[in-house]
């Protein structure tokens, strides 16, 4: 066949293919063929030869491998520990097997769920505890007043103090003087003698400080708190309703201004108010300064005389000036005299108010307008800047305008000072004494004390002012001891605040409660009338926290407060600091029981046992000693260790129980006696006194000597307490080791018949101990069983 024929047939085949197939012909260049070959080679290389061979093998059998992979992936594997489904047509054996497996899986699932819930609960409890500690630190660090009520618990921050280091006092000389005065005051109260006025005592003490500003603050506080009788109801509400606070504040400003007037004109007029006022007005006003002033008396402006007579508290002198001015001022003179006598004349007041509205309001005499407004209460919002040049003048005028029982205007004045003007207006940071006096003169003692407490140099004064006012019943205390230092109660008259005395004292005392514990207790004693959210007396709660926070291993604070035992005698305890505060409400025994409960909750059983013993709760004392002995009874005795201390306590309690000096429950007593016997047993064991140890162990009847004793001993074990049972594995191991060592000694001997008999007895004892361990009503630790088997095998 030639080439032309071959070409023709090829063209015919091509035409037939085009006619039968509608797909377009594919024409590739050499580059496209090369690229397709490369892609095919890469796919083959990535897939692997084995997978290709699998495709070829399964494909030859009619299996679609990709489709099979999709079906396998769609199948869900059975979950771990998923209960098995019971088939209805199975036999009994299969059914019981399936039920058993379901029960096991159910227990595993429940246990897993309980563990998860317990772990989550503990985790959240831990997070809550840490957050509460952080909130307490943040709240204590706040320096600005807060109006939010936050319920916090004071959480301990334990610190271990080196017992060999003698602490120095953290109180400076001024704080020490305050502390000594408070101690003397508390001692008078504890002796049930007359209660002195603590504000007056501190005011007298402040004269020795050498700071006139401090003396003025205490003098001010003493003057405005001279109430005739203590407040029986809530101090906040009573303060707004009793006129004494306004009267005494106004009187204090008048006396202070009188001193100022004498300093301007000389002290020769101090005893003559009339001449003092005249001299001061002449000194203050010259001829050119009397322009606009109306009415004169002997060529002296009348209304400045009347104003300054009232300003320095000389009301009668002001009346005398008005009467000298003529009959036209008789009505006003009568008004001033009636006000001074505590009387009112509505007719005269109405006439003078009408006169003020028609004429006086537009008068050029600023002093006349001021006097009318002061006595008649006209234009209470008028500043009278030409007359009131200082804060004292402004306060005196506003206080003079307040009528007895006018709580509304009194509250408005307080709001103006505290909220409208505030610290920024008075430049309180630079002038703290001025702002304090302004608040105190307007009856806002709590806000004034809190402001001073924010300054380090004045904190000591603020604390003692709060204590003094609280002792007088004049301090508005917070509703709850967990509230912020300064808080607002929506039930109180606005804008009065409440001061958290507990928080203030604890913040102050925590700095020196470890070094000056005696002084700290006297400060905490001032909180004896307050209670915390749990109903505990705050004095006892603070002392309890002091002991608990002192640390688990620090007994210095403990011995200082409760006394230190001098000998094993129950009553031979020196007097602690707390004994001086004993009263019908609380005593040392009550305090010891409360601290013991706190320490027991924290796991400090050793200290709690001592406190329970001091409180007379001997069952609790013996119980916690037993718990501790069960932990260390099998250990060797080391100097200064817990085991050595417990041995001394156990010996003392054993003597008390033997002499019937204390009453303890029979079961508790039995456990204690057994543990003490085991303590002595292990002492013999560690000292190598095996015969003495075995003699004591036979008396306890805790382990068998022969196989016949096993049932009897097991019966005794069922009646033992948990503390004794906890020690029992160590007792069995110790008894087995004694038998093994005695067996080896006999085996190394001459081999006489007596020794052979004794060796047989030792093997019987070892067998009895092994049987007892195997038939115990609870499972022994694996190490114990392993050790027992090794010792028994070593005896054969």
């Amino acid at each position: 066949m030639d080439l032309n024929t071959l070409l023709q047939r090829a063209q015919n085949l091509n035409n037939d293919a085009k006619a039968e197939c509608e797909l377009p012909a594919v024409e590739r260049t050499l580059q496209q063929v090369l690229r397709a070959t490369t892609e095919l080679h890469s796919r083959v290389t990535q897939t692997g030869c084995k997978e290709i061979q699998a495709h070829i093998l399964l494909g030859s059998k009619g299996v679609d491998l990709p489709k099979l992979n999709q079906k396998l992936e769609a199948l869900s594997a059975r979950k771990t520990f998923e209960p098995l489904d019971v088939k209805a047509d199975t036999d009994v054996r299969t059914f019981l097997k399936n039920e058993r497996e379901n029960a096991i899986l159910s227990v595993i699932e429940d246990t897993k769920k309980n563990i998860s819930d317990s772990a989550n609960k503990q985790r959240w409890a831990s997070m809550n505890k840490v957050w509460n500690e952080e909130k307490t630190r943040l709240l204590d660090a706040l320096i600005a007043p807060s109006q939010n009520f936050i319920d916090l618990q004071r959480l301990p921050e334990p610190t271990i103090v080196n017992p060999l280091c003698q602490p120095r006092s953290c109180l400076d000389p001024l704080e020490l003087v305050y502390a000594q005065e408070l101690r003397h005051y508390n001692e008078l109260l504890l002796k049930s003698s007359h209660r002195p006025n603590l504000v007056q005592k501190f005011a007298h003490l402040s004269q020795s400080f050498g700071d006139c500003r401090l003396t003025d603050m205490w003098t001010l506080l003493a003057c405005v708190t001279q109430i005739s009788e203590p407040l029986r109801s809530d101090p906040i509400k009573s303060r707004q309703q009793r006129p004494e606070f306004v009267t005494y504040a106004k009187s204090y400003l008048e006396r202070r201004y009188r001193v100022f007037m004498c300093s301007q004109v000389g002290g020769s007029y101090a005893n003559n108010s009339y001449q003092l006022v005249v001299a001061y007005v002449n000194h203050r006003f010259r001829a050119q300064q009397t322009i606009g002033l109306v009415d004169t008396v002997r060529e002296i402006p009348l209304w400045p005389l009347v104003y300054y007579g009232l300003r320095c508290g000389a009301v009668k002198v002001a009346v005398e000036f008005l009467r000298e001015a003529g009959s036209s001022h008789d009505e006003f003179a009568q008004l001033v005299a009636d006000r001074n006598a505590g009387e009112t004349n509505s007719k005269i007041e109405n006439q003078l108010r009408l006169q003020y509205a028609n004429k006086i309001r537009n008068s050029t005499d600023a002093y006349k307008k001021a006097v009318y407004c002061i006595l008649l209460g006209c234009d209470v919002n008028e500043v009278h800047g030409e007359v009131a040049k200082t804060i004292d003048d402004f306060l005196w005028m506003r206080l003079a305008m307040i009528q007895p029982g006018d709580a509304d205007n009194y509250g408005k004045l307080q709001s103006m000072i505290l909220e409208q003007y505030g610290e920024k207006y008075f430049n309180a940071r630079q002038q703290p004494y001025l702002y304090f006096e302004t608040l105190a003169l307007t009856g806002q003692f709590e806000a004034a004390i809190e402001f001073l407490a924010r300054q380090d140099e004045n904190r000591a004064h603020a604390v003692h002012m709060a204590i003094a006012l609280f002792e007088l019943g004049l301090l508005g205390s917070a509703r709850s001891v967990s509230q912020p230092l300064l808080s607002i109660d929506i039930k109180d008259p606005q804008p009065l605040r409440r001061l958290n005395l507990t928080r203030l004292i604890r913040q102050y005392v925590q700095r020196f409660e470890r070094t000056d514990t005696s002084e700290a207790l006297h400060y905490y004693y001032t909180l004896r009338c307050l209670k915390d959210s749990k109903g505990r007396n705050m004095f006892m709660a603070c002392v309890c926290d002091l002991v608990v926070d002192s640390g688990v291993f620090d007994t210095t604070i403990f011995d200082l407060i409760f006394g230190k035992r001098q000998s094993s005698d129950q009553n031979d305890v020196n007097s602690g600091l707390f004994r001086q505060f004993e009263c019908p409400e609380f005593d040392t025994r009550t305090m010891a029981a409360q601290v013991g409960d706190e320490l027991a909750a924290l796991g400090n059983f050793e200290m709690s046992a001592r406190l329970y013993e001091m409180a007379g709760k001997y069952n609790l004392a013996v119980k916690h000693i037993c718990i501790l002995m069960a932990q260390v009874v099998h250990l060797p005795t080391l100097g200064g260790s817990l085991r050595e201390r417990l041995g001394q306590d156990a010996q003392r309690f054993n003597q008390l129980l033997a002499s019937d000096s204390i009453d303890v429950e029979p079961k508790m007593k039995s456990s204690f006696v057994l543990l003490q016997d085991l303590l002595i047993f292990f002492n013999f064991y560690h000292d190598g006194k095996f015969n003495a140890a075995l003699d004591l162990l036979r008396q306890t009847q805790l382990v068998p000597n022969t196989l016949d004793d096993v049932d009897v001993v097991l019966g005794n074990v069922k009646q033992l307490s948990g503390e004794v049972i906890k020690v029992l594995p160590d007792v069995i191991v110790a008894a087995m080791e004694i038998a093994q060592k005695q067996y080896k000694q006999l085996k190394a001997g001459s081999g006489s018949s007596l020794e052979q008999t004794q060796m047989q007895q030792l093997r019987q004892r070892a067998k009895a101990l092994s049987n007892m361990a195997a038939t115990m009503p609870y499972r022994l630790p694996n190490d114990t069983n392993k050790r027992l088997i090794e010792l028994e095998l070593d005896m054969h």
Side-chain angles (χ1 to χ4, degrees), residues 757-768:
T757 304
Q758 292 176 349
M759 291 172 63
Q760 181 64 25
Q761 292 176 351
L762 291 175
R763 284 194 294 268
Q764 290 294 324
R765 186 193 304 170
K767 184 65 175 176

Side-chain angles (χ1 to χ4, degrees), residues 294-295 303 329 355 360 363 365-373:
V294 298
D295 302 330
W303 294 106
H329 300 90
Q355 182 182 357
I360 309 302
S363 175
D365 193 336
Y367 286 90
K368 186 174 184 178
K369 290 170 58 178
V371 171
Y372 267 80
C373 289

Side-chain angles (χ1 to χ4, degrees), residues 59-295:
S60 63
K61 301 297 183 181
V63 177
D64 189 353
L65 185 59
K67 189 174 182 180
L68 181 62
N69 287 336
Q70 294 178 359
K71 291 182 178 181
L72 291 176
E73 290 176 357
L75 295 177
S76 59
R78 182 181 298 275
K79 297 181 180 179
T80 306
F81 301 140
E82 183 178 356
L84 303 176
D85 295 331
V86 180
K87 297 182 179 180
D89 55 350
T90 57
D91 55 5
V92 175
R93 184 184 299 276
T94 305
F95 174 79
L96 294 177
K97 179 181 178 182
N98 200 7
E99 286 295 312
R100 179 176 177 274
E101 292 177 353
N102 281 336
I104 294 175
L105 294 175
S106 177
V107 171
I108 294 175
E109 187 66 25
D110 292 342
T111 304
K112 177 183 176 183
K113 184 177 181 299
N114 292 337
I115 292 174
S116 177
D117 294 342
S118 177
N120 287 332
K121 184 177 180 181
Q122 292 180 9
R123 180 170 63 88
W124 282 111
S126 177
M127 293 178 63
N128 187 46
K129 178 181 178 182
V130 173
W131 176 230
N132 281 334
E133 292 177 352
E134 188 64 25
K135 285 195 293 185
T136 303
R137 295 192 190 97
L138 291 174
L139 187 61
D140 289 342
L142 291 177
I143 62 172
S146 174
Q147 301 177 5
N148 299 322
F149 299 127
I150 306 174
D151 188 13
L152 297 178
Q153 295 181 356
R154 182 174 182 264
L155 299 174
E157 296 181 3
T159 303
I160 300 177
V161 181
N162 185 358
L164 301 178
C165 177
Q166 297 297 328
R168 297 178 58 185
S169 175
C170 292
L171 296 172
D172 60 33
L174 186 143
E175 293 171 339
L176 190 58
V177 171
Y178 270 132
Q180 291 172 351
E181 190 68 28
L182 181 63
R183 174 197 290 269
H184 179 65
Y185 173 80
N186 286 338
E187 289 174 351
L188 292 177
L189 291 183
L190 292 168
K191 293 178 181 177
S192 300
S193 59
H194 175 68
R195 178 193 294 264
N197 188 317
L198 191 55
V199 176
Q200 300 289 347
K201 289 176 69 67
F202 282 142
H204 179 73
L205 182 67
S206 66
Q207 298 176 6
S208 63
F209 294 161
D211 189 338
C212 61
R213 299 308 301 266
L214 290 177
T215 304
D216 290 343
M217 284 199 306
W218 275 110
T219 303
L220 162 63
L221 208 60
C223 290
V224 298
T225 57
Q226 299 179 70
I227 58 174
S228 56
E229 59 184 33
L231 302 180
R232 302 299 181 186
S233 57
D234 187 2
I236 293 293
K237 296 180 180 179
S238 301
R239 191 182 306 163
Q240 302 296 90
Q241 300 170 356
R242 297 185 62 164
E244 294 100 318
F245 294 100
V246 176
T247 302
Y248 288 139
K250 188 165 69 73
S251 299
Y252 172 79
L253 292 171
E254 292 169 355
R255 288 196 298 272
R256 189 157 72 173
Y257 198 78
R258 184 183 182 89
V259 173
F260 170 74
M261 292 171 64
C262 291
S263 67
Q264 296 296 310
V265 300
S268 59
Y269 301 103
N271 297 325
N272 191 327
S273 299
Y274 186 93
Q275 294 296 331
L276 175 62
V277 174
V278 172
Y280 181 75
V281 172
N282 286 330
H283 170 76
R284 188 176 182 86
F285 294 94
R286 304 293 190 272
Q288 65 274 17
Q289 294 178 336
T290 59
I291 298 175
L293 301 181
V294 298
D295 302 330

Side-chain angles (χ1 to χ4, degrees), residues 740-769:
Q740 186 255 3
K741 291 178 181 179
Q742 290 179 338
Y743 180 85
K744 284 187 174 182
Q745 291 176 357
L746 293 173
K747 189 175 182 180
S750 60
S752 63
S753 59
L754 178 61
E755 291 178 347
Q756 291 296 330
T757 304
Q758 292 176 349
M759 291 172 63
Q760 181 64 25
Q761 292 176 351
L762 291 175
R763 284 194 294 268
Q764 290 294 324
R765 186 193 304 170
K767 184 65 175 176
L769 290 172

Side-chain angles (χ1 to χ4, degrees), residues 593-608:
Q594 182 170 325
V595 179
D597 292 339
E598 292 289 335
L599 290 175
L602 295 174
N604 188 356
F605 293 155
E606 183 181 4
M607 298 295 291
S608 63

